[in-house]
Amino acid sequence: MKLEDFELGGTQLKASDFKTGKVLTTEWKPDLKYAWDNGVAIGRYLAEFKEGRIIARVCHKCDRIMLPPRMFCELCFRPTDEWMYVKDTGVINTFSIAKVNWDASRRGPKEPPLLPAVIEIDGASEGMGIMHMLGEADPKDFKIGMKVKAVWKKPEDRTGAITDILYFKPVAAGTEDKNKGRPEGRGKEVR
Amino acid sequence: MGMRKVAIVGAGITKFVRRAQETGKELSWQASKMALESCDLTLDDIDMVTLGTAPDAFDGVHMKGEYLADGAGAIGKPYMRHYVGGGTGVFSPIHGWFHVASGMADICLVVAEEKMSSCHPHPQGAFLTIFDHTTEQPLMPTLIWIFALEMHRYMETYGISKADIAQVSVKNKRNAMDHPSAQVAGNITVEDVLSSETLCWPVNRLDISPASDGAAAIVIASERVARRLTDKPVWIDGIGHSIDTAYWATRDLSYPRYVETAARMAYDMAGIKEPDKEIHIAEPYDPFDYKELHHMEGLMLCPRGKAAQLTADGITARDGNMPICPSGGALGVGNPIAATGLMKIIEIFLQLRGEAGKRQVPGNPRCGLAQAWGDLMQMGTVVVMRS
C-alpha cells in the first residue's frame, strides 16, 4: 500500500467557513470548581510555608531527604520515617524566560516575562528540585548553577500555599555565611 | 516467553489539520476504514479493537473511549482504551500486541485519535491540570514551560546551541513535504527557527509542533493470519514501556531515563544488542525539536549529547546512515497527540515494506523503531519492527 494511493480524510476548516456559516458549532463554557485536599504530607509542607520554612520527609531505607515531602517512599514502597527542615535557599537547575501564559496567550508588551525554574533546595537530597519562579533580577543575569533564596510573602499575607514564596532571588555575595559549616545535604531534624 | 508473533498488515491515516470539519468519531472512522481496506478486510474479520486517545479535556468529552467506539469499529466487540499522554500513539500497537500475542485475538484493529481544536482559546490550557494541583498549579504553569526548562538543561549539560537544535525542525519540516497528511511541512532555514517568536526561551515558535486534529489506525494479526493476509507482514519484534515519577522536577532533565528503560525492554525482546548498528531507521517522538535529540540518546542510538552532531553531519537525514523521522515527524506532519505516535508506527511499517513513496529511505531498511513519550515527561513507549 502507499498513502498516496488513498484519498485521505480530514478536512481543514478556514476562519471564513465560520464567518459565512458554512460550518456550525456548539459551545459550552464549563463553570466547575474543584477543592483539592492537600493531604497529609503536603498539608504539613504548606503549614510550614505559612511559617516561612520548608520541610522535607526522610526515608531511612534509601536515605533520601525528599521534596516535595511524601508519607510513603515510592521507591522503597514503605512509610517514610521523619520530618526534616531544609533551607529556603537552593541552586538553579534550569529556568526559562516565558512570554506565554498558562493558556498559551501571550504576555502583554508591558508585562514582564515569567521566570519559571527548577530549584534544587539546599539540605534535600541531591537533585531534589521543586518548580517555582525566579525574580528580582534581570532575566539575563540568571544562570544555571546560581545560588538563590526564597522571597516570602509577609507573614500576615501567607495562606499556607506554594505561592507564600513569591519567587527565588539571587543570593547576594557575602550573605551565604550563615549556612557555612553545616554538613552538606543535612538540615535540622525535627519531629 | 510463550507469546505468539504479531505483525502489522494494514494501515490508515487522515490528513493532520489544525481544525477538522470532522468530529473525532468521523476521523476515527476514516482512518479505520482505510486501514481495513488496505489489507482487504472488513469489520467482521476484526476480533477486537483497542483505541488510544489523549486527555478528555481536549475534546471536552468525558469517557472519550466510549464516545469514539463507534468510529473505531468497536461496537459489539471486546474494546479497550489506553492513554499515556504523548506516549499514547506508540502504546497503541503495544496494547493491541498484548491481545494478539497472548492468543486472545487473531486480528486486532488499533485506532488512535485526537481532536485538539475543540478546546479554546488553545488546547495548551487543558494541560494546566496535568500539574500537581497543590504544589504546581497555583504557579499557573504551561507545558511549554517545562519543555523550555528541559531544553535549557539539555543545552547546558552538553554545550548544545539553539541553532544545533533548530536543524531538527528544518529537517523534519522538509521531510514532511513528501507526506500526504502533513499540516506544517515547509522548506525553512535554521535562521527562520531562531527568528520565529520566542515563546518561552529557549523555545521559539518553530521549535514546536502544532496542535492538530487527526486519526490513524493499523490492523495487526497473529503470524498464521498475517501470512495469509499479506506477503509483506511487518513484525512487531519488541515492545517496551516504562514510567518515571510525576515528581518531574526531581529528575535528571538532561536525559530521558524512562525512554532508555523502555528501549532496553524492547531491545531485549527483539534480541538487539547494538541499537546504533541494528536499528536502520527510527521515528522518535519530536513534539519539540530538542526532544528528537533527547530521545535518540535515550534510545541509545548515539552517545549522550551527540545527537545534534549526527544531525549536523546529515546522518539523520532521509538519505543518511540512520534516517530519523523520515515521515516529517510531529514537527512537520503535525501533532494530534495519540495519532502522531501511530503515524510514526505507520511510517516504519511503510518504510520496511518499501512503500513510503517519495519518503522512502534508500538501502532497503529491515529494522526500525518508533518511540513516543508523554505525561509529565515521564512515560516512554518503544516498538521495534522488522520486515
Side-chain angles (χ1 to χ4, degrees):
Chain A
M1 68 171 291
K2 284 200 167 79
L3 298 184
E4 291 75 4
D5 297 337
F6 290 81
E7 188 162 335
L8 302 184
T11 310
Q12 169 71 58
L13 292 174
K14 303 186 292 289
S16 60
D17 293 335
F18 300 95
K19 285 191 193 118
T20 59
K22 182 184 158 198
V23 172
L24 303 177
T25 60
T26 302
E27 280 188 26
W28 177 56
K29 189 172 185 179
D31 185 20
L32 301 173
K33 288 187 174 61
Y34 290 87
W36 287 297
D37 297 318
N38 290 344
V40 182
I42 299 300
R44 171 74 187 270
Y45 180 55
L46 294 179
E48 295 288 350
F49 262 55
K50 213 171 170 181
E51 306 303 319
R53 295 187 294 242
I54 302 178
I55 200 161
R57 193 76 190 155
V58 186
C59 172
H60 285 169
K61 184 149 184 240
C62 63
D63 211 26
R64 289 189 305 159
I65 304 164
M66 291 179 279
L67 279 179
R70 50 208 88 161
M71 299 316 291
F72 61 93
C73 175
E74 75 279 9
L75 299 182
C76 306
F77 222 55
R78 58 185 289 283
T80 48
D81 298 288
E82 64 177 331
W83 294 98
M84 184 182 286
Y85 287 116
V86 292
K87 298 174 197 168
D88 69 349
T89 56
V91 171
I92 299 175
N93 175 290
T94 181
F95 69 98
S96 170
I97 304 167
K99 299 179 177 182
V100 300
N101 298 308
W102 68 278
D103 60 354
S105 62
R106 306 304 195 253
R107 309 275 298 162
K110 288 181 182 162
E111 290 178 289
L114 300 165
L115 303 175
V118 172
I119 296 149
E120 294 180 37
I121 299 296
D122 291 334
S125 290
E126 190 182 346
M128 280 288 168
I130 62 168
M131 179 173 72
H132 217 291
M133 313 303 287
L134 301 175
E136 220 166 279
D138 194 282
K140 68 178 186 310
D141 292 335
F142 285 104
K143 296 277 180 287
I144 286 177
M146 183 183 267
K147 185 105 172 174
V148 289
K149 181 173 172 55
V151 175
W152 297 86
K153 283 182 180 169
K154 284 185 282 188
E156 60 270 29
D157 293 339
R158 294 181 203 147
T159 60
I162 194 78
T163 47
D164 285 351
I165 291 177
L166 292 165
Y167 51 79
F168 285 74
K169 67 170 185 181
V171 174
T175 60
E176 297 171 59
D177 296 353
K178 67 179 178 183
N179 294 325
K180 272 192 182 160
R182 272 189 168 173
E184 196 55 34
R186 283 283 166 181
K188 185 185 169 196
E189 291 188 19
V190 291
R191 276 197 298 161
Chain B
M1 60 174 119
M3 294 288 182
R4 304 198 297 174
K5 279 188 79 163
V6 179
I8 305 177
V9 297
I13 194 166
T14 67
K15 291 176 190 160
F16 290 179
V17 296
R18 176 63 183 89
R19 184 170 182 180
Q21 180 177 14
E22 293 85 352
T23 61
K25 207 183 283 198
E26 288 167 340
L27 291 168
S28 300
W29 142 252
Q30 289 173 335
S32 301
K33 177 172 172 289
M34 177 175 161
L36 291 171
E37 283 177 5
S38 75
C39 53
D40 294 319
L41 293 178
T42 69
L43 194 54
D44 290 341
D45 300 310
I46 299 297
D47 296 324
M48 75 171 290
V49 178
T50 65
L51 175 123
T53 187
D56 290 5
F58 283 151
D59 300 55
V61 174
H62 201 48
M63 303 203 312
K64 209 160 118 181
E66 291 77 355
Y67 165 73
L68 294 168
D70 301 80
I75 302 310
K77 297 184 191 295
Y79 173 66
M80 292 176 82
R81 177 214 177 158
H82 51 271
Y83 165 43
V84 285
T88 300
V90 173
F91 193 81
S92 299
I94 296 176
H95 197 190
W97 181 92
F98 292 151
H99 300 296
V100 178
S102 67
M104 290 297 292
D106 269 327
I107 308 182
C108 180
L109 176 62
V110 175
V111 186
E113 175 273 359
E114 214 70 65
K115 189 168 171 85
M116 301 171 71
S117 64
S118 308
C119 184
H120 293 265
H122 194 281
Q124 271 295 336
F127 285 127
L128 180 63
T129 54
I130 76 170
F131 290 92
D132 184 88
H133 48 62
T134 307
T135 60
E136 295 177 338
Q137 258 186 59
L139 300 171
M140 301 305 281
T142 149
L143 264 194
I144 306 174
W145 284 14
I146 62 171
F147 287 119
L149 295 171
E150 196 178 65
M151 178 169 164
H152 188 189
R153 185 70 195 179
Y154 178 63
M155 290 165 61
E156 177 84 9
T157 301
Y158 299 114
I160 296 166
S161 72
K162 276 169 59 62
D164 294 335
I165 290 170
Q167 301 173 102
V168 174
S169 188
V170 171
K171 168 179 71 74
N172 290 5
K173 283 179 188 294
R174 272 187 201 153
N175 283 351
M177 292 171 79
D178 296 322
H179 198 299
S181 295
Q183 176 185 348
V184 284
N187 200 359
I188 62 165
T189 63
V190 166
E191 187 49 43
D192 291 333
V193 179
L194 298 179
S195 60
S196 63
E197 181 189 5
T198 301
L199 299 178
C200 295
W201 186 91
V203 172
N204 289 36
R205 183 71 198 85
L206 289 176
D207 289 309
I208 312 188
S209 59
S212 313
D213 293 353
I218 57 172
V219 177
I220 63 173
S222 62
E223 180 173 14
R224 180 178 56 83
V225 175
R227 290 197 191 281
R228 177 161 57 79
L229 290 175
T230 177
D231 53 6
K232 288 198 279 187
V234 171
W235 304 102
I236 296 177
D237 277 354
I239 59 139
H241 51 118
S242 171
I243 195 159
D244 206 334
T245 172
Y247 297 112
W248 61 272
T250 68
R251 288 208 305 268
D252 176 0
L253 296 176
S254 65
Y255 185 71
R257 185 167 302 281
Y258 44 95
V259 171
E260 180 185 324
T261 312
R264 286 189 185 282
M265 177 178 166
Y267 294 162
D268 282 350
M269 193 183 294
I272 287 176
K273 303 273 190 291
E274 295 179 283
D276 58 331
K277 295 189 178 67
E278 296 175 60
I279 305 284
H280 301 148
I281 175 173
E283 283 273 344
Y285 194 36
D286 60 326
F288 286 62
D289 43 13
Y290 82 93
K291 288 305 285 188
E292 175 172 308
L293 307 174
H294 217 228
H295 291 153
M296 283 170 62
E297 294 167 16
L299 290 164
M300 298 165 284
L301 297 176
C302 67
R304 295 186 193 189
K306 298 295 183 206
Q309 190 58 48
L310 292 193
T311 310
D313 293 344
I315 306 289
T316 65
R318 198 181 274 153
D319 58 357
N321 279 341
M322 187 191 288
I324 302 289
C325 290
S327 67
L331 287 162
V333 185
N335 195 9
I337 312 288
T340 309
L342 204 51
M343 178 276 287
K344 288 176 170 290
I345 294 281
I346 291 170
E347 182 68 10
I348 299 296
F349 168 70
L350 295 171
Q351 291 281 355
L352 297 182
R353 283 163 60 116
E355 295 176 347
K358 283 199 277 184
R359 302 184 313 287
Q360 185 65 47
V361 307
N364 189 24
R366 304 296 302 276
C367 181
L369 76 73
Q371 171 263 333
W373 137 101
D375 300 327
L376 272 172
M377 310 197 289
Q378 68 193 119
M379 180 75 195
T381 49
V382 177
V383 170
V384 175
M385 295 149 70
R386 288 198 185 95
S387 56

